[in-house]
Amino acid sequence: MDRRQFLAFSTAIAGIALLPRCATSQLSAPKSTLYRSQAGLLEVDLTAQLTSVPLAGRTAQLMTYNQQVPGPRLEVNPGDRVQIRFTNQLEQPTNLHFHGLHVDPTGLADNPFRAVNPNETVDYVFDIPADHPAGLFWYHPHYHGLVAQQLFSGLAGEFIVRGADDRLPALQSAQETVLVLQDFDLNRQGQVREPMPMARMWGREGDLITANGQANPALSLALGGLLRLRLLNASPSRIYRLRLQNHPWWLIATDGGTLQAPTAQDEVLLSPGERVDMLIPGDQPPGTYPLVTLPYDRGLADMMAGMANRHGGHMGSLGQTEPLPIAQINYGAPRVAGDWPETLGTVDPLPEPTTTREFVLDHGLDPETGDQFLINGRAFDHHRVDVQVNVGTVEDWVIINRAGMDHSFHLHTNPFQVVARNGQPEPLKAWKDVVNVPAYETATIRIAFRQFVGKTVYHCHMLDHEDQGMMGIVEMLDIKK
Ligand SMILES: [Cu+2]
């Protein structure tokens, strides 16, 4: 059934039953508390602590925000102020990063250089610009050296900005479900296992995959209705290769907002930090449709698998040969959807760049510390500015992966558009803040540096690689001053 047939189908079943047009009706409601801004202010207390929590039918000892995995769901509107009182009750330093938000990267705002020490309480305060795009963003720790461990222990939460996209009639009428995808490697006591050195190099993965802290939760899709399924990869290293078995779905948004029009997909590759919105019309025979993740080789699988066998280590998806369940979509009672959205918004192309830079991702060996993950031959140094850019200019960054494994490149503060892959123009016009660069491949991203000055970071979002050095500092300068 194509989109026009869907419209006809949708109209035909309008006579069957009229159910309330409730925007949120999920059978598997997330346990995470929802905090929405009120009168222009989102004020919330967050506490990071080690907690015993239910996870996928068992009990796990995890790092949590407010004793929830995933953490509380935060929701704001453009123009709002965000005030978070954050307490660290972990036995190690941490901090907060607001992934994908175009906000101030300095001071009390989205500052990745900040350390929040054990038993310390601090404020995070920042303003969402009035012209901020709507989208699914998220928050997680960004304390260099401990990021992979803290995410793998559960620390992550969604951060939604509402806006014009949400007021499209079709999306207003759709059921909305956000799934936070995480993976865990737990021992019999429910504690997170320490990864083997090889797994740390590869990027740690676990064999327990959860969506909103549940294993294979059931979601409801009304017959004739629309499901807006929003997916966030909050895993430290795992790449999800997602397919909705025997059922069509359309990509409608990426990291930084909607596409120009729904785009039919077979599979969706979601690397760490990435998000997608999928629109699923309830136009198939009623039944249960599994959402699965398929095996994906993120590089050197044979060699690494051989090493894992010799060392008996857990190598996560390396051992995956079959589809693994993420969630299942069950058809529910009929209901009328809004019209299929033929268009969603505009993704205006950015002007030609004034500067083009190259970033070579590769691996090295440090005689003292072992494996190193490098950008342009250098490991991360807190005290070194790697790149200076001017606010108000557009740059092309060519990300060249010379390594035999995938790396997912993430830039803070300013979103970008992928304009080319391996020198060929990228057909999909979309706003992104993470781009997966497969082994030995190249991606060219175009960035408009807007509004905010100060230092922030770019890095591999396979967080073990970031922790082991694959990160650099970009300083944004205002040349007019
Ligand atoms: Cu990497």
Side-chain angles (χ1 to χ4, degrees):
M1 186 178 283
D2 66 15
R3 286 167 297 165
R4 285 182 205 293
Q5 288 170 316
F6 169 72
L7 289 180
F9 177 81
S10 191
T11 309
I13 70 140
I16 299 174
L18 283 170
L19 295 174
R21 287 189 167 212
C22 163
T24 52
S25 67
Q26 296 96 39
L27 284 183
S28 92
K31 291 166 288 182
S32 309
T33 313
L34 171 63
Y35 294 99
R36 279 202 182 102
S37 59
Q38 305 284 339
L41 177 66
L42 176 73
E43 203 172 9
V44 59
D45 288 3
L46 288 181
T47 298
Q49 61 185 125
L50 196 64
T51 326
S52 190
V53 287
L55 182 81
R58 56 184 296 193
T59 301
Q61 304 292 319
L62 298 179
M63 294 183 187
T64 63
Y65 293 122
N66 295 6
Q67 306 187 34
Q68 298 170 14
V69 174
R73 310 162 62 201
L74 308 182
E75 196 174 304
V76 302
N77 298 305
D80 285 351
R81 166 154 292 197
V82 177
Q83 265 176 235
I84 297 173
R85 177 143 294 182
F86 177 57
T87 300
N88 179 12
Q89 289 183 1
L90 303 171
E91 291 179 345
Q92 53 183 235
T94 186
N95 63 11
L96 292 176
H97 166 48
F98 301 90
H99 182 127
L101 290 185
H102 181 62
V103 297
D104 184 354
T106 66
L108 303 185
D110 183 24
N111 181 350
F113 304 109
R114 212 170 168 190
V116 185
N117 290 310
N119 297 314
E120 197 178 357
T121 296
V122 302
D123 288 320
Y124 278 87
V125 183
F126 55 90
D127 295 317
I128 310 287
D131 60 352
H132 199 288
L136 170 58
F137 305 97
W138 62 300
Y139 63 95
H140 65 77
H142 213 292
Y143 185 85
H144 181 62
L146 297 174
V147 184
Q149 182 194 349
Q150 292 183 0
L151 265 94
F152 205 49
S153 300
L155 290 178
E158 69 194 67
F159 192 115
I160 286 185
V161 180
R162 294 292 176 190
D165 300 348
D166 302 287
R167 294 189 289 274
L168 289 166
L171 299 193
Q172 261 183 331
S173 75
Q175 302 156 271
E176 182 185 276
T177 299
V178 182
L179 292 183
V180 180
L181 307 184
Q182 295 170 291
D183 64 343
F184 298 92
D185 184 15
L186 303 178
N187 66 17
R188 283 173 185 230
Q189 290 74 43
Q191 297 157 328
V192 178
R193 270 198 276 245
E194 264 301 296
M196 315 263 294
M198 185 59 67
R200 187 173 278 121
M201 184 192 166
W202 174 244
R204 64 191 81 186
E205 294 190 14
D207 52 11
L208 173 60
I209 296 179
T210 63
N212 296 348
Q214 302 167 63
N216 199 20
L219 315 176
S220 176
L221 167 57
L223 179 66
L226 284 172
L227 175 62
R228 180 189 187 185
L229 184 61
R230 316 186 77 176
L231 302 163
L232 154 63
N233 182 353
S235 290
S237 326
R238 179 182 286 272
I239 294 181
Y240 295 87
R241 184 179 150 212
L242 299 165
R243 182 186 282 162
L244 185 56
Q245 302 278 44
N246 306 314
H247 201 294
W249 61 350
W250 277 262
L251 179 68
I252 58 167
T254 53
D255 304 340
T258 54
L259 308 179
Q260 305 201 115
T263 306
Q265 299 284 316
D266 180 21
E267 296 172 9
V268 175
L269 208 62
L270 205 62
S271 75
E274 285 187 298
R275 290 88 66 208
V276 287
D277 277 20
M278 306 302 296
L279 196 59
I280 305 169
D283 60 2
Q284 299 297 304
T288 295
Y289 294 89
L291 172 63
V292 299
T293 184
L294 301 168
Y296 177 77
D297 175 12
R298 56 185 172 93
L300 293 181
D302 292 346
M303 186 195 88
M304 304 293 283
M307 286 170 134
N309 288 339
R310 282 200 298 282
H311 296 289
H314 293 263
M315 298 304 291
S317 67
L318 268 181
Q320 184 183 340
T321 53
E322 300 290 324
L324 294 175
I326 297 289
Q328 48 184 309
I329 293 179
N330 297 320
Y331 269 55
R335 98 178 186 174
V336 182
D339 286 347
W340 182 267
E342 296 297 335
T343 59
L344 296 163
T346 53
V347 179
D348 294 323
L350 291 171
E352 288 296 311
T354 51
T355 306
T356 297
R357 304 176 197 270
E358 288 188 351
F359 295 81
V360 175
L361 313 181
D362 210 345
H363 306 169
L365 204 58
D366 183 288
E368 283 169 24
T369 59
D371 293 311
Q372 274 196 317
F373 287 77
L374 310 171
I375 301 179
N376 289 340
R378 300 197 286 198
F380 177 69
D381 180 347
H382 256 280
H383 305 290
R384 184 188 69 227
V385 171
D386 297 277
V387 182
Q388 287 183 316
V389 301
N390 292 320
V391 169
T393 65
V394 173
E395 298 201 356
D396 273 5
W397 286 14
V398 185
I399 318 301
I400 302 163
N401 186 357
R402 293 234 170 96
M405 65 173 82
D406 291 21
H407 292 295
S408 291
F409 191 87
H410 172 49
L411 172 65
H412 288 212
T413 311
N414 287 288
F416 53 77
Q417 295 176 6
V418 180
V419 292
R421 283 183 183 272
N422 303 314
Q424 301 300 311
E426 167 80 9
L428 186 71
K429 304 281 173 267
W431 285 106
K432 297 284 297 163
D433 50 59
V434 179
V435 59
N436 188 56
V437 188
Y440 305 118
E441 292 196 15
T442 296
T444 305
I445 62 176
R446 187 160 294 171
I447 313 150
F449 290 95
R450 292 174 50 229
Q451 188 170 356
F452 298 109
V453 298
K455 293 174 196 166
T456 192
V457 291
Y458 52 88
H459 60 88
C460 180
H461 217 288
M462 279 138 188
L463 298 168
D464 280 296
H465 303 166
E466 184 241 286
D467 282 335
Q468 292 170 91
M470 197 171 265
M471 179 155 73
I473 294 179
V474 54
E475 182 172 25
M476 298 169 285
L477 304 165
D478 189 349
I479 43 172
K480 293 193 291 294
K481 283 182 181 164

